[in-house]
Every structure is written in structure tokens, then in C-alpha cells.
């Protein structure tokens, strides 16, 4: 899902007006990648570059090319198709997933195995199940806001870090409950997940250790649930496997892992990036708060889609590898070449979106690529939308004067390759009367 990314620049000089192109993947780029992506869309829409890991890959930045690439069967999701030199071995996925034997999940496989596994997961991850989970998401959201307010005590003003105290725990506890992780074990998942999204900021090898611990726990949990099935996603995966289609133990563990991993980091960033965008665009925030105060939901629903387009949680789609020679955006892609579709660039393409750098919560015809396209479209998108809508509506309603506690330029963004998200989001607010 992501790759650890150091601060060192990995491309050519930084002046966006230069014919040589912008610098990619340094910390300045991480803060605001959109000018660089605009240059690439115009001058080098399918751009070969060396990533900070040393892996060379093609970046696809125009909407039309991106949409084509996301659905092109010649671009495999299986890392076995990567024509990788020795130094690149294992650098194209989640750190530690190879050693932990967690490769057989939806992000790493192609049809027909992908078709079989997605059908099984779809039976468990239904819109009905997500809808039934709505009250619980609201309870979790209210509980976290209550804790933030209680922390202020008798003070008139409160402070919080909305990443660590709100955006991070909400999806972790939600997806744990959907999967059927007992509540007494959920704090362990919070610790493991926290290590996994540091993108190199924790102790050496910490990500791989957390992946291994999570894999061991999930394997044991699946064994226990086979003896005592419940009303949860893992139990449903076991039931679906036992009624016709076959799901091996390794596949079941890998699927539970990727549902949990993909089910929290994208939502952390959706909430964090969305709040940041609203802070930076106060007119849009005021529109949304007025709509919520009037008991309306339309602007909230279109607004989540616009926030996904404007500064979404997934900056680059996960890895693809050419299985045959192909032409994309006028460039010749060789067999084994890695291809990374830059969703953040495609979703600001002026050829597809009017005024793409403007946040408009009422934007219509918003067919963004924030959750992908084609057979790998994100299964968890309905849950992420539910969590995002619930989180934003609850915060803006209960803490209406919420504001940044630091100048915007002091905010820091995590340096991962695939995901885009803030490290922290310090805020202050007037403590509401109870």
C-alpha cells in the first residue's frame, strides 16, 4: 500500500517553469505536490522517474490516461511481473508483507484469482452491512469527540490533535468491529496500525514487525472464529468459503489484513485532508455548516466527493506492472515496467474538471478517481464515505468554531509514496456548554 520515503529529492531541479521539470518526492513536494503534477500533466504526462527507493517507474498524470491505465488488463497487479533488478526486490508493496506471507490479497492479484476473491469479499462487505453499521460509527464518533471535550476540563478553550485523537482511532475501531476483532484486542491493532503509517518515522524494522504481529493475530482469530462464527466480516468470509468457493487459510488471513489496513489509512487521510481543506477554504466550510444546521445532507454528500477529488487520501494508485509492450500517453512501456497512476494529478486535470484547483463542495458530475476505477475499485469506499461524512458533520456541528492552532505552514505531511496525509492537525475550540 505504501512505501517508506526519505527526504532526499529523487528527480530534477525544482523550478516548475523549468523545461527540466519539478523536483519530486522531497518534503517540499509532499507539502504541496499539485504544482509539480500540473507541470507533468502539461509537459510529461507519462513520466519515467527514479523513486526514492531506487525503483524506476512511470507516473501517469492525465485523467484520460489514468482512467485507461486503471482498467487496462495488460497492467498486472501481481508483483511477480515486475522486471526488478536485485536492489529493487520487495520495494513495491507494504513493508514486511512478503516475509509475513500476506501477498495473496486483492491489491496483488489478477483475474481469475482476483475475481474469485473479490466475489467472496463482496458477499461479506455488502452495502446493507455498511448501512447497518451507521449507528455504531456515530457512537464511535461521538465518543471520541466527548473525550476531546472532556480533556479540556473546566477550561473555556480546548485543544486537540485531530489526527491522533480523532481521525486515526475512528476508522481503526470501526474496521476492527466490522472484522470481528474483540474489543479487548483493539488497542493492539491501534498500536500496530500506528507503527505502519509512520512511513519510516518509527524504529528500524518496526513496520515489518507490526505486519508480522498483525498477521499472527489474524491467523489465530480466524482459527477461533471457525469454532464460533459471529456476525462480522471474518465470519462471513469463512461462511462464504465453506459454501462453494474456496478460500485458503493464507488467503483469508491476507484478505482480513488488507481489509483492515486499507480500511483505516485511507479514512484517516480522508478526514484529516478534508478538515485541512475546509480550514483553508472558510467560505466552503461556512456553506457546509449552514447546510448541516438546516438539517440538510445534500451538500455533505457532494462535499465528501469533492474533498476526495481535491486532496484525496490516496495520492498514487497501488503498483501495476506491464505484462506486454504497450503505448500509454505517447510513451512506450516495456514488459515488466512499473506503472503508478497519480490519482491526485488526474483529479485536478483541467481537461476533465472545471476550475480543478478550486474547492467547490456542490460540484456536480464529479467522477473522480479517488477510490480507483475498474475491477480494482475500492470495496471499502462506502464505509469510508460513511465515516468521512459522520466525522465531518459531527465535528463541525458539535465544535462549530474549530480552528487551526498553528499557522498552516507549520503543518507537516507524511512522506509515504502511495498515501497522502498529515502527521498532525492541532486545533483549538471553545468548549461547548453541557
Amino acid at each position: 500500500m505504501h512505501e517508506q520515503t526519505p527526504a532526499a529529492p529523487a528527480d530534477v531541479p525544482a523550478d516548475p517553469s523549468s523545461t527540466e521539470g519539478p523536483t519530486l518526492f522531497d518534503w517540499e513536494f509532499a507539502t504541496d505536490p499539485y504544482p509539480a503534477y500540473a507541470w507533468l500533466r502539461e509537459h510529461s504526462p507519462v513520466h519515467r522517474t527514479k523513486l526514492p527507493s531506487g525503483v524506476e517507474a512511470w507516473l501517469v498524470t492525465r485523467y484520460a490516461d489514468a482512467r485507461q491505465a486503471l482498467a487496462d488488463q495488460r497492467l498486472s497487479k501481481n508483483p511477480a511481473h515486475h522486471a526488478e533488478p536485485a536492489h529493487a526486490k520487495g520495494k513495491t508493496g507494504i513493508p514486511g508483507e512478503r516475509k509475513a506471507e500476506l501477498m495473496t490479497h486483492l491489491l496483488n492479484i489478477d483475474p481469475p484469482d482476483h475475481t474469485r476473491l473479490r466475489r467472496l469479499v463482496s458477499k461479506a462487505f455488502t452495502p446493507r452491512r455498511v448501512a447497518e453499521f451507521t449507528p455504531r460509527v456515530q457512537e464511535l464518533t461521538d465518543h471520541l469527540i466527548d473525550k476531546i471535550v472532556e480533556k479540556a476540563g473546566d477550561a473555556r478553550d480546548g485543544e486537540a490533535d485531530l489526527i491522533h485523537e480523532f481521525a486515526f482511532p475512528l476508522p481503526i475501531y470501526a474496521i476492527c468491529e466490522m472484522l470481528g476483532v474483540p474489543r479487548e484486542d483493539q488497542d493492539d491493532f491501534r498500536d500496530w496500525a500506528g507503527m505502519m503509517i509512520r512511513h519510516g518515522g518509527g524504529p528500524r524494522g518496526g513496520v515489518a514487525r507490526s505486519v508480522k504481529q498483525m498477521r499472527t493475530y489474524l491467523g489465530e482469530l480466524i482459527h477461533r472464529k471457525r469454532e464460533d462464527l459471529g456476525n462480522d466480516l471474518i465470519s462471513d468470509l469463512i461462511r462464504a468459503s465453506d459454501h462453494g468457493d474456496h478460500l485458503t487459510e493464507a488467503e483469508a488471513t491476507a484478505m482480513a489484513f488488507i481489509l483492515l489496513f486499507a480500511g483505516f489509512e485511507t479514512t484517516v487521510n480522508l478526514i484529516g485532508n478534508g478538515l485541512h481543506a475546509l480550514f483553508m477554504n472558510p467560505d466552503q466550510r461556512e456553506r457546509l455548516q449552514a447546510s448541516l444546521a438546516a438539517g440538510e445532507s445534500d451538500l455533505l454528500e457532494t462535499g465528501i466527493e469533492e474533498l476526495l477529488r481535491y486532496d484525496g487520501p490516496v495520492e498514487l494508485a497501488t503498483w501495476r506492472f506491464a505484462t506486454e509492450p504497450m503505448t500509454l500517453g505517447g510513451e512506450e512501456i516495456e514488459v515488466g515496467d512499473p506503472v503508478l497512476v497519480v490519482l491526485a494529478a488526474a483529479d485536478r486535470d483541467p481537461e476533465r474538471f472545471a476550475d480543478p484547483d478550486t474547492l467547490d463542495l456542490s460540484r456536480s458530475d464529479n467522477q473522480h478517481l479517488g477510490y480507483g476505477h475498474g475491477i480494482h475499485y475500492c470495496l471499502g469506499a462506502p464505509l469510508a464515505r460513511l465515516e468521512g461524512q459522520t466525522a465531518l458533520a459531527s465535528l463541525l456541528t458539535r465544535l462549530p468554531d474549530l480552528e487551526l492552532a498553528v499557522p498552516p505552514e507549520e503543518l507537516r505531511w507524511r512522506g509515504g509514496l502511495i498515501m497522502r496525509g498529515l502527521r498532525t492537525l492541532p486545533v483549538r475550540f471553545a468548549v461547548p456548554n453541557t
Side-chain angles (χ1 to χ4, degrees):
M1 288 289 291
H2 68 271
E3 172 175 301
Q4 295 171 321
T5 306
D11 214 312
V12 287
D15 180 4
S17 65
S18 166
T19 56
E20 295 183 0
T23 299
L24 304 178
F25 307 120
D26 64 1
W27 291 123
E28 184 177 353
F29 169 86
T31 299
D32 183 11
Y34 296 102
Y37 288 149
W39 190 96
L40 290 178
R41 275 196 312 267
E42 183 176 354
H43 299 285
S44 184
V46 178
H47 180 75
R48 188 172 178 87
T49 189
K50 180 176 286 189
L51 303 172
S53 64
V55 175
E56 292 193 5
W58 294 94
L59 304 180
V60 181
T61 56
R62 287 181 180 169
Y63 183 91
D65 294 334
R67 189 175 170 92
Q68 174 193 336
L70 290 171
D72 198 317
Q73 298 285 321
R74 296 171 296 176
L75 291 174
S76 170
K77 297 292 292 170
N78 190 339
H81 291 292
H82 183 193
E84 54 188 348
H87 77 274
K89 192 74 174 174
K91 292 185 176 181
T92 59
I94 302 170
E97 68 174 354
R98 289 176 185 248
K99 288 185 178 180
E101 298 179 349
L102 287 168
M103 297 292 289
T104 53
H105 56 68
L106 290 175
L107 297 184
N108 285 339
I109 57 175
D110 305 314
D113 285 336
H114 178 272
T115 307
R116 175 177 61 87
L117 290 184
R118 189 176 177 100
R119 183 170 60 244
L120 279 168
V121 178
S122 296
K123 291 178 181 178
F125 209 87
T126 61
R128 178 181 176 183
R129 177 178 287 280
V130 173
E132 290 173 346
F133 200 55
T134 300
R136 184 57 183 151
V137 171
Q138 186 66 64
E139 287 178 7
L140 290 168
T141 302
D142 288 337
H143 173 68
L144 292 170
I145 297 175
D146 288 343
K147 288 178 65 176
I148 288 171
V149 171
E150 289 166 5
K151 189 181 70 170
D154 296 329
R156 293 177 59 188
D157 298 317
E159 293 187 348
D161 174 3
L162 288 184
I163 299 299
H164 291 281
E165 296 177 60
F166 184 75
F168 176 68
L170 174 59
I172 275 288
Y173 293 138
I175 194 64
C176 277
E177 292 205 11
M178 286 198 79
L179 283 169
V181 176
R183 292 190 183 182
E184 62 268 21
D185 296 338
Q186 291 178 10
D187 283 338
D188 289 335
F189 271 83
R190 180 173 177 167
D191 293 341
W192 297 331
M195 179 62 68
M196 291 166 67
I197 69 169
R198 288 183 185 179
H199 300 296
R204 184 175 180 84
V207 175
R209 280 196 299 274
S210 293
V211 169
K212 185 176 181 180
Q213 288 171 314
M214 196 176 287
R215 189 253 185 269
T216 300
Y217 176 87
L218 287 170
E220 294 171 352
L221 182 62
I222 288 169
H223 271 297
R224 295 203 305 270
K225 285 193 176 293
R226 285 192 182 277
E227 304 299 322
D228 184 20
L229 295 175
N231 182 28
D232 54 69
L233 280 178
I234 290 179
S235 295
D236 284 355
L237 281 174
I238 294 169
R239 289 189 188 96
S241 177
D242 290 343
H243 290 81
D245 291 317
H246 180 59
L247 192 69
T248 68
E249 183 174 316
E251 288 172 339
T253 305
M255 286 306 310
F257 168 76
I258 205 61
L259 284 172
L260 188 142
F261 186 75
F264 87 87
E265 191 172 10
T266 52
T267 309
V268 175
N269 296 343
L270 170 58
I271 296 170
N273 297 6
L275 286 166
H276 176 262
L278 293 174
F279 287 142
M280 297 298 99
N281 294 270
D283 60 322
Q284 295 298 302
R285 172 185 169 167
E286 289 169 10
R287 287 181 64 198
L288 181 55
Q289 285 183 295
S291 175
L292 293 170
E296 300 166 351
S297 62
D298 288 355
L299 191 63
L300 178 63
E301 292 172 3
T302 59
I304 283 292
E305 301 310 309
E306 175 68 346
L307 293 169
L308 282 162
R309 182 202 69 82
Y310 180 78
D311 196 13
V314 184
E315 189 168 345
L316 284 75
T318 48
W319 296 82
R320 286 165 167 78
F321 309 95
T323 57
E324 59 184 83
M326 59 185 294
T327 302
L328 185 61
E331 299 289 346
E332 299 300 319
I333 312 297
E334 301 294 333
V335 173
D337 280 358
V339 174
L340 289 166
V341 177
V342 187
L343 306 179
D347 280 344
R348 290 210 188 185
D349 188 341
E351 293 294 317
R352 178 60 185 82
F353 301 99
D355 299 317
D357 294 321
T358 298
L359 181 70
D360 177 6
L361 298 183
S362 59
R363 186 183 294 271
S364 60
D365 187 27
N366 193 353
Q367 297 183 35
H368 62 78
L369 301 176
Y371 282 123
H373 171 65
I375 64 170
H376 290 283
Y377 184 83
C378 179
L379 265 175
L383 177 61
R385 287 185 170 102
L386 166 64
E387 292 172 347
Q389 290 180 18
T390 305
L392 294 182
S394 300
L395 275 174
L396 295 177
T397 300
R398 293 188 58 186
L399 305 176
D401 64 344
L402 200 65
E403 63 179 8
L404 277 176
V406 298
E409 60 270 18
E410 292 186 12
L411 295 173
R412 294 293 177 263
W413 297 78
R414 293 198 302 269
L417 179 65
I418 300 298
M419 298 290 182
R420 172 166 171 77
L422 287 160
R423 291 176 177 269
T424 61
L425 187 58
V427 297
R428 55 177 167 257
F429 55 91
V431 176
N433 293 324
T434 54

